Amino acid sequence: MDIPQAQRLQRIPPYPFREINALKTKMIAEGAEPIDFGIGDPDMPTPDFVIQALAEAAQDPGTHPYDETGFGIPEYQQAIARFSKRRFGVEVSTAGEIQSCLGSKESLVHIIWAYIDPGDVVLVPDPAYSVYKVQTQWCGGAAFPMPLRAKNGFLPDLGAIPRSVAKAAKLLFLNYPNNPTGAIAPLHYLAEAVDFCRRHEIILVNDCAYSEVAYDGLQPPSVLQVPGAMDVAIEMHSLSKTFNMTGWRIGWAMGGKPFVAALSRCKSNVDSGTFMAIQRAAIVALDRYEEWVPQMQAEYQRRRDAFVSGLNSLGWNLQPPRATFYVWVPVPPGYDSASFAADLLRRCRVLAIPGAVYGEHGEGYVRFSLTIKGRDKLAQIDEAITAMRENLRIAW
Ligand SMILES: Cc1ncc(COP(=O)(O)O)c(C=O)c1O
């Protein structure tokens, strides 16, 4: 049968990492396993105490039916409220300001479906995680790019957004700590963004998927720390990167009640919530955050330091990123992002993602993820740097 796909599906590209995964699989089949700095999926296991909590909860038949609460079981919501208070000093109410989600991707998708009609405008960072733009287009909306430039610390210049665009926009996406640039947003920037959104009547969607992957003692802020942010903002959180739980599909949204209600209405028509045993395990994860997170951070920090100093020994002049497990590296002269990534793979067996995958303003960069799969990580970093030293002819 040759049944055409819906036009809305034909309008959007395949999910970028599908193609990168296919390339990697092909290399492995040909016997040339790459050193994989590709997808940002933690290579370390979920903490034992979380697995243990899941095993126990899964034994209880009470966790097996649908979660009929719609917002997540009350105990999970309470654990989120405790975490938010402890970590950010932010009080969130379990009566309508929290929504359990299937990771943060799902909440990001559904907030767009909840608000965007054909022709509506969404302000989207560029470069960025693909979901904000693709889902906007899927809904028939227009994604207006906000360039992330090195000279602005990879923060959107809100003053550069034309008045007419700001007036038309319904949603503005921010993501700090940032994928792919590794940048962070200070609280005063988030306060400016809240003010901008209030003045232009825009909902601020803050993607906090990497809020806990930070170094040197840094604690990235929540936008809800800004006084009055609940009036304009909703923030998406995830256990994926914090607790090495990407496959578990659990996270939450928190923010202003109308936004949480719209998200909830949208998602309840699509999915039926997270397995309640996983919610119970997530409670344990959040409650034992302090005993886990420092070791996760220390491990990436070791890799970050080894990788960045290796690159600097080859002639780069990089500051180590202060958060995320991404290193956003300008390509050497004579390359664009695709040709540099291709040379890395062909000549050095090093897999990195061309920055242009993340948008027009990602051109000129490649992204390395420190979530390296397989054997000794520092040894693989060393091999990658050696391969680059021996096989690339970089003319600085
Ligand atoms: C910026 C950003 N937001 C959200 C996500 C989604 O993660 P999850 O759905 O596992 O929480 C990712 C995943 O890589 C991401 O990079």
Side-chain angles (χ1 to χ4, degrees), residues 160-188:
I161 297 167
R163 271 184 101 74
S164 57
V165 173
K167 208 164 156 226
K170 284 177 96 174
L171 301 178
L172 181 151
F173 280 89
L174 290 181
N175 162 226
Y176 294 95
N178 183 254
N179 175 16
T181 68
I184 50 169
L187 190 57
H188 67 80

Short mmCIF file of all heavy atoms in Angstrom, two decimals, residues 160-188:
data_model
loop_
_atom_site.label_atom_id
_atom_site.label_comp_id
_atom_site.label_asym_id
_atom_site.label_seq_id
_atom_site.Cartn_x
_atom_site.Cartn_y
_atom_site.Cartn_z
N ALA A 160 16.37 43.03 20.69
CA ALA A 160 16.47 42.99 19.22
C ALA A 160 15.23 42.38 18.58
O ALA A 160 15.12 42.32 17.36
CB ALA A 160 17.71 42.19 18.81
N ILE A 161 14.30 41.92 19.39
CA ILE A 161 13.08 41.32 18.82
C ILE A 161 12.16 42.46 18.35
O ILE A 161 11.81 43.33 19.16
CB ILE A 161 12.36 40.44 19.87
CG1 ILE A 161 13.28 39.28 20.28
CG2 ILE A 161 11.02 39.92 19.34
CD1 ILE A 161 12.82 38.52 21.51
N PRO A 162 11.81 42.47 17.06
CA PRO A 162 10.96 43.58 16.59
C PRO A 162 9.66 43.66 17.39
O PRO A 162 9.09 42.63 17.76
CB PRO A 162 10.68 43.20 15.12
CG PRO A 162 11.76 42.22 14.75
CD PRO A 162 12.14 41.51 16.02
N ARG A 163 9.22 44.90 17.63
CA ARG A 163 8.00 45.12 18.43
C ARG A 163 6.81 44.35 17.89
O ARG A 163 6.03 43.76 18.64
CB ARG A 163 7.63 46.61 18.39
CG ARG A 163 8.27 47.43 19.47
CD ARG A 163 7.75 48.86 19.39
NE ARG A 163 6.71 49.12 20.39
CZ ARG A 163 6.95 49.27 21.68
NH1 ARG A 163 8.17 49.13 22.15
NH2 ARG A 163 5.97 49.54 22.53
N SER A 164 6.68 44.36 16.54
CA SER A 164 5.51 43.70 15.94
C SER A 164 5.54 42.20 16.21
O SER A 164 4.50 41.57 16.43
CB SER A 164 5.48 43.96 14.43
OG SER A 164 6.69 43.50 13.87
N VAL A 165 6.76 41.63 16.24
CA VAL A 165 6.90 40.18 16.50
C VAL A 165 6.57 39.90 17.96
O VAL A 165 5.82 38.98 18.29
CB VAL A 165 8.32 39.69 16.15
CG1 VAL A 165 8.52 38.24 16.56
CG2 VAL A 165 8.60 39.87 14.67
N ALA A 166 7.11 40.74 18.85
CA ALA A 166 6.86 40.55 20.28
C ALA A 166 5.36 40.66 20.56
O ALA A 166 4.80 39.92 21.37
CB ALA A 166 7.64 41.59 21.08
N LYS A 167 4.72 41.58 19.85
CA LYS A 167 3.28 41.79 20.07
C LYS A 167 2.47 40.57 19.62
O LYS A 167 1.48 40.19 20.25
CB LYS A 167 2.85 43.02 19.26
CG LYS A 167 1.68 43.73 19.83
CD LYS A 167 1.54 45.12 19.26
CE LYS A 167 0.07 45.49 19.43
NZ LYS A 167 -0.52 46.06 18.27
N ALA A 168 2.94 39.94 18.54
CA ALA A 168 2.21 38.79 17.98
C ALA A 168 2.51 37.49 18.72
O ALA A 168 1.72 36.54 18.66
CB ALA A 168 2.56 38.64 16.50
N ALA A 169 3.66 37.43 19.42
CA ALA A 169 4.11 36.13 19.96
C ALA A 169 3.22 35.66 21.12
O ALA A 169 2.73 36.47 21.91
CB ALA A 169 5.55 36.26 20.44
N LYS A 170 3.04 34.34 21.21
CA LYS A 170 2.29 33.76 22.34
C LYS A 170 3.19 33.03 23.32
O LYS A 170 2.87 32.93 24.50
CB LYS A 170 1.24 32.77 21.81
CG LYS A 170 0.02 33.45 21.20
CD LYS A 170 -0.94 32.43 20.64
CE LYS A 170 -2.05 32.06 21.59
NZ LYS A 170 -3.05 31.16 20.91
N LEU A 171 4.27 32.44 22.80
CA LEU A 171 5.19 31.68 23.67
C LEU A 171 6.61 32.14 23.40
O LEU A 171 6.95 32.49 22.25
CB LEU A 171 5.13 30.17 23.36
CG LEU A 171 3.82 29.43 23.49
CD1 LEU A 171 4.02 27.97 23.08
CD2 LEU A 171 3.31 29.48 24.93
N LEU A 172 7.43 32.11 24.45
CA LEU A 172 8.88 32.36 24.29
C LEU A 172 9.60 31.22 25.02
O LEU A 172 9.30 30.95 26.19
CB LEU A 172 9.26 33.71 24.89
CG LEU A 172 10.73 34.13 24.79
CD1 LEU A 172 10.84 35.66 24.74
CD2 LEU A 172 11.58 33.61 25.93
N PHE A 173 10.49 30.55 24.30
CA PHE A 173 11.24 29.44 24.90
C PHE A 173 12.63 29.89 25.34
O PHE A 173 13.34 30.55 24.58
CB PHE A 173 11.41 28.29 23.89
CG PHE A 173 10.17 27.44 23.80
CD1 PHE A 173 9.16 27.76 22.91
CD2 PHE A 173 10.01 26.35 24.63
CE1 PHE A 173 8.00 27.00 22.85
CE2 PHE A 173 8.86 25.58 24.58
CZ PHE A 173 7.86 25.91 23.68
N LEU A 174 12.98 29.51 26.55
CA LEU A 174 14.37 29.63 27.01
C LEU A 174 14.80 28.25 27.49
O LEU A 174 13.97 27.44 27.92
CB LEU A 174 14.49 30.62 28.16
CG LEU A 174 14.29 32.11 27.86
CD1 LEU A 174 14.48 32.92 29.14
CD2 LEU A 174 15.24 32.62 26.77
N ASN A 175 16.10 28.01 27.45
CA ASN A 175 16.63 26.74 27.91
C ASN A 175 18.02 26.97 28.50
O ASN A 175 19.00 27.09 27.77
CB ASN A 175 16.69 25.75 26.72
CG ASN A 175 17.62 24.56 26.96
OD1 ASN A 175 18.42 24.20 26.09
ND2 ASN A 175 17.51 23.95 28.12
N TYR A 176 18.07 27.10 29.81
CA TYR A 176 19.34 27.28 30.53
C TYR A 176 19.34 26.41 31.76
O TYR A 176 18.33 26.37 32.45
CB TYR A 176 19.57 28.75 30.91
CG TYR A 176 19.76 29.56 29.65
CD1 TYR A 176 18.68 30.22 29.08
CD2 TYR A 176 20.98 29.56 28.99
CE1 TYR A 176 18.84 30.90 27.87
CE2 TYR A 176 21.14 30.24 27.79
CZ TYR A 176 20.07 30.90 27.24
OH TYR A 176 20.22 31.55 26.05
N PRO A 177 20.45 25.72 32.01
CA PRO A 177 21.64 25.55 31.20
C PRO A 177 21.27 25.07 29.79
O PRO A 177 20.32 24.30 29.63
CB PRO A 177 22.46 24.52 31.96
CG PRO A 177 22.02 24.68 33.38
CD PRO A 177 20.58 25.04 33.32
N ASN A 178 22.06 25.52 28.80
CA ASN A 178 21.62 25.44 27.42
C ASN A 178 22.23 24.28 26.63
O ASN A 178 23.44 24.05 26.65
CB ASN A 178 22.01 26.76 26.73
CG ASN A 178 21.53 26.82 25.29
OD1 ASN A 178 22.33 26.69 24.36
ND2 ASN A 178 20.24 27.00 25.11
N ASN A 179 21.36 23.60 25.94
CA ASN A 179 21.74 22.68 24.89
C ASN A 179 21.53 23.44 23.58
O ASN A 179 20.41 23.91 23.35
CB ASN A 179 20.85 21.44 24.92
CG ASN A 179 21.11 20.50 23.76
OD1 ASN A 179 22.13 20.60 23.09
ND2 ASN A 179 20.18 19.58 23.52
N PRO A 180 22.50 23.61 22.71
CA PRO A 180 23.80 22.93 22.68
C PRO A 180 24.98 23.73 23.19
O PRO A 180 26.09 23.22 23.21
CB PRO A 180 23.99 22.72 21.17
CG PRO A 180 23.40 23.96 20.55
CD PRO A 180 22.21 24.30 21.43
N THR A 181 24.81 24.99 23.62
CA THR A 181 25.98 25.85 23.83
C THR A 181 26.65 25.66 25.20
O THR A 181 27.76 26.14 25.41
CB THR A 181 25.61 27.34 23.69
OG1 THR A 181 24.75 27.69 24.79
CG2 THR A 181 24.90 27.64 22.39
N GLY A 182 25.95 25.03 26.14
CA GLY A 182 26.49 24.89 27.50
C GLY A 182 26.40 26.18 28.31
O GLY A 182 26.90 26.25 29.44
N ALA A 183 25.76 27.21 27.76
CA ALA A 183 25.69 28.50 28.46
C ALA A 183 24.72 28.44 29.63
O ALA A 183 23.82 27.58 29.68
CB ALA A 183 25.24 29.60 27.49
N ILE A 184 24.91 29.38 30.55
CA ILE A 184 23.97 29.51 31.67
C ILE A 184 23.33 30.90 31.64
O ILE A 184 23.90 31.82 31.06
CB ILE A 184 24.67 29.28 33.03
CG1 ILE A 184 25.94 30.16 33.10
CG2 ILE A 184 25.02 27.82 33.22
CD1 ILE A 184 26.55 30.22 34.47
N ALA A 185 22.17 31.01 32.27
CA ALA A 185 21.50 32.32 32.35
C ALA A 185 21.49 32.76 33.80
O ALA A 185 20.95 32.06 34.66
CB ALA A 185 20.07 32.21 31.85
N PRO A 186 22.09 33.93 34.09
CA PRO A 186 22.01 34.43 35.46
C PRO A 186 20.58 34.83 35.80
O PRO A 186 19.78 35.10 34.89
CB PRO A 186 22.94 35.65 35.46
CG PRO A 186 23.18 36.00 34.04
CD PRO A 186 22.83 34.81 33.19
N LEU A 187 20.29 34.89 37.09
CA LEU A 187 18.92 35.20 37.51
C LEU A 187 18.47 36.57 36.98
O LEU A 187 17.32 36.74 36.60
CB LEU A 187 18.84 35.16 39.05
CG LEU A 187 17.44 35.23 39.63
CD1 LEU A 187 16.54 34.11 39.12
CD2 LEU A 187 17.50 35.19 41.16
N HIS A 188 19.40 37.53 36.88
CA HIS A 188 18.96 38.85 36.41
C HIS A 188 18.50 38.79 34.95
O HIS A 188 17.62 39.52 34.54
CB HIS A 188 20.02 39.94 36.65
CG HIS A 188 21.27 39.78 35.83
ND1 HIS A 188 21.36 40.17 34.53
CD2 HIS A 188 22.48 39.26 36.15
CE1 HIS A 188 22.58 39.90 34.07
NE2 HIS A 188 23.27 39.34 35.04
#
